[in-house]
Amino acid sequence: MGVTGEPVSPVRSRERFLLGEPVETGVRSPILHSWERCRLLGLSPDQTELPYRDDFDPDSRLVRAAGPVLDQLAARFAGSRMNVSLADAAGTVLQRRFGEPELARRLPPIQAVPGFVFAERFAGTNGIGLALAERRLVQVYGAEHFAERSQSNACCAVPVRNQLNGLVEGVLCFGYPRSDEDPALTALIRRAAESIERRLTEQSSQRERALLRSYLDARAHAGADGQPAAAGGAIPYTIAYSAADPSGALLDPRDESVLKERAAELISSTQRAAVEVTLLHGRRATLLSRPVTSGTGIEGIAVEAVLTDGEPAARRSTALSTVGAAPAATPAAPPTPPAPAAHSAPQTPQTPQTPQAPQAPPGPHAAPAADRNGAGPDHDRADRAARRLVLVGEPEVGRYALAARRRLELLAEASARIGTTLDVHRTARELAEVAVPGLADYVTVDVPEAVLRGEEPPDNAGPVRRTVVHGIRDDHPFHPEGSPVELRPGTPHLRCLADGKAVVEADLAAGGWLARGPDPAAALGGHPVHSLVAVPLLARGGLLGVACFYRSEDPAPFADDDTWLAQELCARAALCMDNARQYTREHTLALALQRSLLPHRLPEQGAVEVAHRYLPAESGVGGDWFDVIPLSGTRVALLVGDVVGHGLHAAATMGRLRTAARNFAELELAPDELLTHLDNLLVRLDREEGGESDTGSAGIVGATCLYVIYDPTTRECTMARAGHLPPAVVRPDGSVDFPELPAGPPLGLGGLPFETAAIDLPEGSTLVLYTDGLVEDRHRDIDAALEDLRRALAHPGRTPEDTCRSVIDAVAPDHPDDDIALLAARIHTLPAERIAAWDVPADPARVGEIRAAATRTLTEWGLEEPAFAVELLLSELVTNAVRYGGEPIQVRMIHDRTLICEVSDGSSTAPHLRRAAGTDEGGRGLFLVAQLSQAWGTRYTPRGKVIWAECALDAA
């Protein structure tokens, strides 16, 4: 059955596609993407002509390696309608084999004669073209072919790679009628391609062995005694020491690695050179590269090493002075005694053992019989002892080895440089910086906006945003960072996102999509790109975006090894990006919770003028908070606190404490009493959670808090702290001090007392409350930070807003490790002429006098409207104080934003509001007070209690 489960290929889907209708199901993604490319290239389904080339090499390395394999396949398929094709990397068919010889005569030339080009850009969707485009095994059935001429056929094709460099050398393709489909064909074609690849590698081994034989022949006939240590049949990428030099065995393996690495660079450079290399233990070596030509004309490079340290000075001088005398190569076998039998075998040859070393023919590279300085035989022994073979090979192979090593170095660098922060954008930039210029000239990273916000990756390829652009030049032709990117059908970007697989475009000019892609300017200008690898950023099953690697100045297109390297880099970066995304999500949630639990708008009150700042930590949201709570009698409470730890648990604990603190403040508790209640609450919460939360996080471990109450009628400031830093007081003249307050234990320890301190502040002073994140930092001493805070505050006349701004700019760390909460409050004093107070004897007859005095005062204040309501309030409150309270009794009226009436007495018994029955003679006084006022309550003092009530200034 076909891909869609139908007896034939998806004909209807192809018809819909050709009509321009969307095709979402019924077609495999590689086929659909190939159709889209064909449409962008302007191909027609009825196109029948293909380019024909007669200049291909019928005896190329690929043809020689594949010949025996193709013959075996022809024998296997004898009598069948199988058509076996071998094409090169450009899609040109080089060889064909047929199960039935008659097929070659019955089939049209386009399907029977070598030389026709089946690349996708000419032939449309077909096995050879699709295998080159996808760079993996593909199968194409019936109507999946773009051209109508191939509708009745099926094919299976697989790339053939060079195992040394990973490049695709060609394609092996099976063509057959759709009815002859066999599941075993895929395994068979894979094994056949692997056989061709092995034979290609053997060809390289034979070439290397031929070069080694030439080198040894030249050394033998020059009088040198270099005997390789390489095993027979292996490419001699091992250091070969002279048997006469026992010191060679003392080289450290790390020295050997260094010599081989530098030798590979010399071989890849294709030029004669001498390079000095520093080894361990102060030793030095000089590497010499020499051209080598085999008897069959294969050209290569041999690299010899000369140890220049660790030998007697005379020997070292003699060896180096004549190191260039020995011949490096001979174009043909020299006139010497017959070569040993090892030269004709495929094994690594051994040096001929003769009684006397043969003499080299005269020539510019011949070694003299005696040293020019008269060294004679000693010079020969020194030369034999000092020189040894390191590597021999072809420049191309050397480049492959060098490129492979650099890829490994790039992977090692990526492990150290990618993922240094929990930031999606920064991780994407680290990926680009690692890849340029080692892998690509330009890198772009496009990420969905949801991922940037920390949300789950979208299920489908939706809108993306250009997150990173990085390249070898700043004047790049790509959309700038931060801009939205439109991905159109047929582009490698969208194919990559849709399939979740890497897409390679070795020749962008031939694809036809670049001008229609997200960066059309990349095809123009002075440095157009020519090759692309698009790799999806996949992590934990989620698609985080796409990274595109472009080459512009590097002339070589991306090969398979480059693609695998890009995929490995992207896999590492994607995992780090997903970690950063999850952190971003949790950080955003914690920050949203934290901000929702902090005051959104400070309450209106006249006691202080307030400004505040809150800066979350970069490493994770903590439990810092602040609050401003209006109290009775025009007083105000200022509060800052810090829960130990970070994350959602700390933020949730902060919310509990802030809510509890507001509730306790409503009870008009003194600062030390309020901290005691918070301490008990935290101990109880920690006990209820059993030391560990349901989410597995540690239980509540403690918190610090500073609670301040300021009374503008007396300018008295009472405060208590629980393990918190004391506030800063900025006096009107600009002087700054930190009041000495009793330290108090942190909240959560339980059973330890807190103490309250009181100070008087002059009008215009500023109280600055802060959490430890402002002054405690691993990079500086806290005393120095407090001194910086003092200098930042020592400016008279600043508004609280200016104070907060200057403190954050001058004191706050650039990258805070802890949250910072800052509260600046400039105090105001209520004028004495807006306060009226009377002492009241415990005599009910004096209540009328108090009402009259209050009425006169209201008249003086211009508040005649609320006078009637105030008379009734004071009458009820004073009568209750006289009847149920104790002396001393005092009445006080305060003219502020509201009119406040207070009656204090010496009793600590508080009245309670209740609904009086119809037969009750009393119990209606507080009910009347509650109806006449907008708020009322009771607060306790060291000498008794105060019952207060607030009336609106326009109350009637």
Side-chain angles (χ1 to χ4, degrees), residues 645-731:
H646 293 85
L648 291 173
H649 189 60
T653 302
M654 177 274 290
R656 291 176 172 181
L657 288 178
R658 177 173 176 258
T659 302
R662 292 189 68 90
N663 292 334
F664 293 147
E666 291 290 334
L667 299 177
E668 303 281 0
L669 298 178
D672 56 340
E673 295 179 5
L674 183 139
L675 293 181
T676 300
H677 283 284
L678 290 179
D679 182 47
N680 294 335
L681 172 65
L682 207 56
V683 170
R684 186 166 59 253
L685 290 175
D686 194 37
R687 187 183 303 118
E688 291 174 355
E689 294 186 2
E692 185 173 348
S693 67
D694 296 337
T695 60
S697 61
I700 300 170
V701 293
T704 65
C705 185
L706 172 63
Y707 186 69
V708 178
I709 296 178
Y710 171 68
D711 189 345
T713 64
T714 61
R715 293 186 290 103
E716 183 183 59
C717 186
T718 58
M719 59 188 77
R721 62 183 179 129
H724 203 86
L725 293 169
V729 177
V730 184
R731 301 188 180 274

Side-chain angles (χ1 to χ4, degrees), residues 435-685:
V436 175
L439 176 61
D441 295 326
Y442 298 96
V443 175
T444 65
V445 181
D446 301 326
V447 179
E449 295 187 11
V451 174
L452 296 175
R453 295 192 299 266
E455 301 173 4
E456 292 294 329
D459 295 333
N460 51 10
V464 296
R465 186 167 293 276
R466 178 62 46 84
T467 305
V468 170
V469 181
H470 183 66
I472 56 176
R473 296 173 58 169
D474 293 334
D475 56 336
H476 55 76
F478 303 96
H479 283 307
E481 294 183 6
S483 61
V485 176
E486 181 183 1
L487 303 181
R488 298 180 181 178
T491 61
H493 307 71
L494 191 58
R495 289 159 48 199
C496 175
L497 287 173
D499 296 345
K501 299 177 181 178
V503 176
V504 184
E505 290 289 346
D507 187 1
L508 294 178
W513 65 266
L514 190 57
R516 305 179 181 89
D519 297 288
L524 308 173
H527 47 285
V529 296
H530 61 78
S531 185
L532 161 69
V533 176
V535 183
L537 297 170
L538 293 169
R540 301 182 179 95
L543 185 60
L544 305 179
V546 57
C548 293
F549 303 83
Y550 295 90
R551 281 185 177 171
S552 173
E553 298 188 5
D554 187 345
F558 285 105
D560 284 352
D561 285 349
D562 300 318
T563 304
W564 294 329
L565 176 60
Q567 289 177 297
E568 180 64 25
L569 294 178
C570 289
R572 300 186 182 196
L575 188 60
C576 296
M577 289 175 64
D578 193 55
N579 292 338
R581 179 194 62 80
Q582 294 187 35
Y583 168 78
T584 301
R585 179 186 61 186
E586 294 182 2
H587 183 76
T588 303
L589 290 175
L591 185 60
L593 176 61
Q594 173 84 327
R595 293 193 180 279
S596 68
L597 296 174
L598 291 174
H600 296 284
R601 186 176 59 183
L602 297 180
E604 295 182 0
Q605 42 77 39
V608 293
E609 180 185 351
V610 181
H612 61 86
R613 291 290 189 279
Y614 171 74
L615 275 67
E618 289 189 354
S619 58
V621 176
D624 291 19
W625 87 94
F626 63 90
D627 210 343
V628 178
I629 308 172
L631 301 178
S632 63
T634 70
R635 298 174 306 141
V636 65
L638 307 175
L639 178 69
V640 292
D642 182 7
V643 175
V644 176
H646 293 85
L648 291 173
H649 189 60
T653 302
M654 177 274 290
R656 291 176 172 181
L657 288 178
R658 177 173 176 258
T659 302
R662 292 189 68 90
N663 292 334
F664 293 147
E666 291 290 334
L667 299 177
E668 303 281 0
L669 298 178
D672 56 340
E673 295 179 5
L674 183 139
L675 293 181
T676 300
H677 283 284
L678 290 179
D679 182 47
N680 294 335
L681 172 65
L682 207 56
V683 170
R684 186 166 59 253
L685 290 175

